[in-house]
């Protein structure tokens, strides 16, 4: 059976398009892209428990394959296989892969964007189509979950800090500027409408870190 957050996903995705976007703008921008995808999916596949969770399984499989590809590009087939197995049997990912929430989608998008980033950095010359795909994956990852922006910041830090990659900085900067423009509505929701979007998140203290670690 569906748990509370999954039921929320279904409830929101079952609204009219106008009703869905009203809720996204008001308080659910963090997962807005997932709700849009889920709404499109259930219009075709229905709202059975299996169909609602199926997209997350697909996203999870793609994430594993993308991570394996990253491992093969950067290291060896053996390391790539180990990385894929670690993600496959990660308890959190096994949970996310079978629930109707956005987390498997987010994992897929940030992993795919990282794969594209790695290929861009290691290419002998800049491939415009790779940059376009990377930019698109980055934008979608942020719309799937705003905290994906931290992965993109790591990418930016890598380009700046690794001497061999700096020659590609102007082109990469163009991609990041395009991303920033594309996700600016989301940033508006969090900066201007901050109280409605993230007011439920309480400040993190030392006791929280001790509890989790």
């Amino acid at each position: 059976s569906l748990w509370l957050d999954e039921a929320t996903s279904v409830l929101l995705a079952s609204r009219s398009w106008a009703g869905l976007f009203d809720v996204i703008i008001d308080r659910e921008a963090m997962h807005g892209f997932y709700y849009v995808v889920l709404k499109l999916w259930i219009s075709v596949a229905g709202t059975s428990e299996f169909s609602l969770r199926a997209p997350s399984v697909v996203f999870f499989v793609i994430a594993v394959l993308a991570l394996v590809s990253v491992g093969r590009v950067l290291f060896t087939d053996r390391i790539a296989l180990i990385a894929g197995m670690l993600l496959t049997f990660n308890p959190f990912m096994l949970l996310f892969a079978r629930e109707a929430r956005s987390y498997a989608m987010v994992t897929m998008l940030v992993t795919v964007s990282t794969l594209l980033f790695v290929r861009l950095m290691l290419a002998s010359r800049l491939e415009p189509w790779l940059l376009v795909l990377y930019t698109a994956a980055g934008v979608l990852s942020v719309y799937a979950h705003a905290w994906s922006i931290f992965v993109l910041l790591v990418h930016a830090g890598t380009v700046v800090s690794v001497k061999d990659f700096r020659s590609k900085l102007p082109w990469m900067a163009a991609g990041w500027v395009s991303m920033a423009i594309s996700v600016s509505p989301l940033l508006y929701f969090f900066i201007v409408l901050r109280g409605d979007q993230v007011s439920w998140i309480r400040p993190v203290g030392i006791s929280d870190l001790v509890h989790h670690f």
Side-chain angles (χ1 to χ4, degrees):
S1 61
L2 301 178
W3 70 292
L4 179 60
D5 281 6
E6 289 181 296
T8 300
S9 296
V10 179
L11 179 64
L12 295 179
S14 299
R15 285 172 169 253
S16 66
W17 283 109
L20 174 59
F21 282 112
D22 283 344
V23 174
I24 289 174
I25 293 171
D26 181 48
R27 61 179 182 275
E28 286 289 343
M30 180 71 80
H31 305 281
F33 179 54
Y34 175 76
Y35 296 139
V36 170
V37 171
L38 184 62
K39 181 172 180 60
L40 293 171
W41 172 252
I42 64 178
S43 68
V44 176
T47 57
S48 69
E49 186 175 330
F50 174 82
S51 64
L52 289 169
R53 290 172 169 170
S56 291
V57 176
V58 175
F59 298 147
F60 172 63
V61 171
I62 295 174
V64 171
L65 294 176
L67 181 61
V68 170
S69 296
V70 171
R72 293 186 67 183
V73 172
L74 290 178
F75 303 105
T76 65
D77 289 350
R78 181 181 180 182
I79 291 177
L81 180 60
I82 292 172
M85 291 179 64
L86 288 173
L87 182 60
T88 299
F89 295 106
N90 181 287
F92 284 106
M93 283 311 306
L94 290 174
L95 175 64
F96 297 154
R98 55 186 177 87
E99 67 178 19
R101 294 296 287 169
S102 67
Y103 305 112
M105 171 190 279
V106 175
T107 304
M108 175 195 71
L109 288 169
V110 296
T111 308
V112 168
S113 66
T114 299
L115 172 61
L116 293 168
F117 172 76
V118 168
R119 290 195 174 278
L120 277 166
M121 293 301 99
L122 298 182
S124 57
R125 61 186 180 86
L126 183 73
E127 298 288 351
W129 66 274
L130 272 179
L131 182 59
V132 170
L133 290 176
Y134 170 70
T135 302
V139 169
L140 293 178
S141 70
V142 175
Y143 273 109
H145 199 291
W147 298 159
S148 299
I149 195 170
F150 292 110
V151 175
L152 302 176
L153 289 175
V154 171
H155 294 171
T158 302
V159 176
V160 172
S161 61
V162 178
K163 184 178 179 180
D164 292 343
F165 296 163
R166 290 175 190 164
S167 62
K168 297 178 180 178
L169 181 57
W171 286 100
M172 296 303 297
W176 293 322
V177 169
S178 298
M179 288 184 195
I181 294 172
S182 298
V183 303
S184 57
L186 186 63
L187 298 179
Y188 171 81
F189 296 151
F190 282 103
I191 295 173
V192 179
L193 305 177
R194 181 178 181 275
D196 294 325
Q197 293 288 341
V198 293
S199 59
W200 58 272
I201 302 177
R202 65 181 180 83
V204 177
I206 298 299
S207 60
D208 297 291
L209 297 177
V210 172
H211 174 73
H212 287 288
F213 296 100

